[in-house]
Amino acid sequence: MGRLQVVGAAVADGTGRDPMDVDVTVEDGWITQLGASGDEPGERLDAGGLTMTPGLIDAHVHLGLSSPIQPQFSFQISAAEIAADIFATAGAALDAGFTTVRDTGGIDGGVVTTIAKGKVRGPRVLSCGPVQCQIGGHGYYGADWEPTELWSGHHLPGLCALSMMSGNADELRGNVREAFRRGASFLKLCVTGGVVSAHDRLTDTQFTVEEIAVAVQEAAARGTYVTVHAHNNEGIRNAVEAGARCVEHGTDLDEPTATLMATRGVALVPTFAVVERLLHDPAEAGLGESVRDRVLGVRERMTEALAAAKEAGVRIGLGSDLIGPAQDRRGEELRLRAELETPMEALVAATKTNAEILGLSDQVGVIAPGMQADLVLWNGNPLEDPKLFADPANAVLVVQAGRVVKDLR
């Protein structure tokens, strides 16, 4: 792989410090030096006028939901087309500047290994495999008449598996062990109803504290953690009490619950981009118009939840939660967060903080010697104009582990 020297860029290193005019030296995939690069041999890349950031991280993606949702789960789309859509979405993530993603439900282990082997373009992927759901809870998309036991027939081994249904703690234990057998590196449970649901409400809680604790125990036995899909405070508190380490969405998070999360060291990953997309056009994701009614008010409440979490000192990451075919503008999440915070806070959430939440803070998330060379060069300065994050065309060069994976120069 050799040496690569990137010279002339304004470097926003992911820590929150103002951009610095420093050269970045990369050797064999790792950053070895910040500062004047001298005349050492190797490729020299002139990045004058561009802004460098760490490779972005999306902590909430659904690669396995890259086809229209309802047609996918009613057997109207072939396995070949589903695979093509998944791998197109993976490549689009790189093109948008995302070099690492955490898949929070929908893919099976074959997708992770196929991308890791370099057979298709895509980011580094951490996956929970199928989501863990209670019978009939959020994550079940079978027809009303379809018996629960037939749901696993929607899985395509090695490609996609959205969710596994559990009726009690023993079944959940068996299902999470099966998820780990398939290659999961963490677990996700749905502990409340969801926006894109047919059989529940956002106010519903799902799984008991004792049931969630079973998944936490099984994750801890493998040195990993549980994150939970949760919109209401009762579900969040159940998950925190059981030992979950992260909460996805957190739409109705209030101040006491945010304080509890901060005290227990539980992180939050808000997801604004999917809300905007579903408000705009549910059909674009292959969903019915009823979804729009369920998402009304979520954006405003999630904004209040973000403020409560910040006030309490909760570690707050960033996730897009995009679903369906239109997942090419993943950086929209940074633009939306920049409107609620600052562009720098959005960048730090998408780099340093997300790396901490994913357990990768010793490898990625900041630009510093000893870290993997995941780098993005932006046309202009997205910290002054965060709309630049939302358009993949502005990510003119993407480097992943020292390899140039996109170059529009």
Side-chain angles (χ1 to χ4, degrees):
M1 194 177 295
R3 180 194 294 261
L4 172 66
Q5 298 168 340
V6 186
V7 302
V11 178
D13 64 5
T15 66
R17 286 193 290 257
D18 288 337
M20 308 167 288
D21 293 324
V22 294
D23 299 342
V24 178
T25 302
V26 175
E27 292 189 49
D28 297 326
W30 298 84
I31 299 168
T32 57
Q33 182 180 327
L34 297 186
S37 53
D39 296 322
E40 297 95 336
E43 182 184 356
R44 190 174 174 87
L45 194 156
D46 183 1
L50 304 178
T51 301
M52 179 189 294
T53 68
L56 303 179
I57 302 169
D58 191 335
H60 193 121
V61 310
H62 293 291
L63 298 180
L65 299 180
S66 295
S67 305
I69 307 298
Q70 288 174 338
Q72 177 173 343
F73 292 118
S74 55
F75 300 106
Q76 296 176 43
I77 303 176
S78 71
E81 187 172 347
I82 292 170
D85 290 343
I86 288 172
F87 293 132
T89 293
L94 272 187
D95 289 338
F98 289 84
T99 52
T100 301
V101 300
R102 181 178 65 160
D103 194 288
T104 50
I107 56 172
D108 222 351
V111 173
V112 178
T113 54
T114 298
I115 295 172
K117 288 177 179 178
K119 295 196 171 186
V120 295
R121 297 177 69 243
R124 182 182 298 103
V125 182
L126 281 69
S127 169
C128 68
V131 180
Q132 305 301 321
C133 306
Q134 74 174 35
I135 290 177
H138 180 63
Y140 176 73
Y141 292 104
D144 290 346
W145 52 263
E146 182 179 331
T148 299
E149 59 268 22
L150 297 184
W151 174 244
S152 61
H154 293 265
H155 294 188
L156 298 172
L159 182 64
C160 58
L162 179 63
S163 57
M164 303 174 83
M165 300 290 129
S166 300
N168 54 51
D170 287 342
E171 290 181 6
L172 179 62
R173 191 182 298 277
N175 282 339
V176 301
R177 288 177 176 176
E178 173 66 11
F180 281 125
R181 183 197 69 76
R182 296 186 193 179
S185 55
F186 67 99
L187 296 176
K188 180 187 170 190
L189 273 64
C190 294
V191 302
T192 75
V195 170
V196 185
S197 289
H199 306 283
D200 57 38
R201 301 161 298 173
L202 290 184
T203 52
D204 291 354
T205 61
Q206 298 174 1
F207 286 129
T208 64
V209 173
E210 293 74 20
E211 287 168 332
I212 301 167
V214 166
V216 170
Q217 181 185 40
E218 291 293 328
R222 293 161 181 80
T224 188
Y225 68 96
V226 169
T227 190
V228 295
H229 156 105
H231 286 282
N232 66 61
N233 287 290
E234 187 175 355
I236 294 171
R237 296 176 82 90
N238 286 345
V240 173
E241 181 66 27
R245 283 234 314 264
C246 187
V247 171
E248 312 295 313
H249 315 302
T251 299
D252 289 312
L253 181 68
D254 61 18
E255 292 178 10
T257 308
T259 299
L260 175 66
M261 287 177 62
T263 301
R264 299 285 185 89
V266 178
L268 174 68
V269 178
T271 53
F272 287 94
V274 68
V275 175
E276 293 292 313
R277 192 65 59 84
L278 293 177
L279 277 171
H280 174 67
D281 186 7
E284 184 181 56
L287 293 166
E289 194 62 28
S290 62
V291 171
R292 197 195 304 268
D293 296 332
R294 295 176 69 98
V295 83
L296 285 174
V298 168
R299 174 178 53 195
E300 293 76 13
R301 287 163 18 228
M302 195 179 287
T303 299
E304 294 171 1
L306 174 63
K310 284 189 70 174
E311 180 67 24
V314 174
R315 175 179 287 151
I316 307 171
L318 177 144
S320 69
D321 193 21
L322 294 175
I323 54 176
Q327 297 193 34
D328 55 322
R329 292 177 64 89
R330 198 166 294 282
E332 190 75 16
E333 187 70 27
L334 280 86
R335 182 190 69 80
L336 293 167
R337 280 285 289 276
E339 292 178 356
L340 303 173
E341 303 179 84
T342 67
M344 181 64 83
E345 285 173 315
L347 175 64
V348 172
T351 54
K352 180 177 182 289
T353 305
N354 269 355
E356 293 167 355
I357 291 171
L358 272 58
L360 297 175
S361 59
D362 59 338
Q363 301 174 51
V364 297
V366 298
I367 298 172
M371 304 296 283
Q372 280 209 348
D374 285 7
L375 311 169
V376 185
L377 289 167
W378 299 91
N379 181 31
N381 184 354
L383 298 174
E384 294 178 355
D385 181 7
K387 291 193 297 293
L388 297 178
F389 282 129
D391 186 350
N394 293 312
V396 295
L397 188 133
V398 180
V399 177
Q400 183 187 39
R403 296 184 184 276
V404 176
V405 293
K406 177 189 179 184
D407 189 351
L408 297 182
R409 292 175 300 149

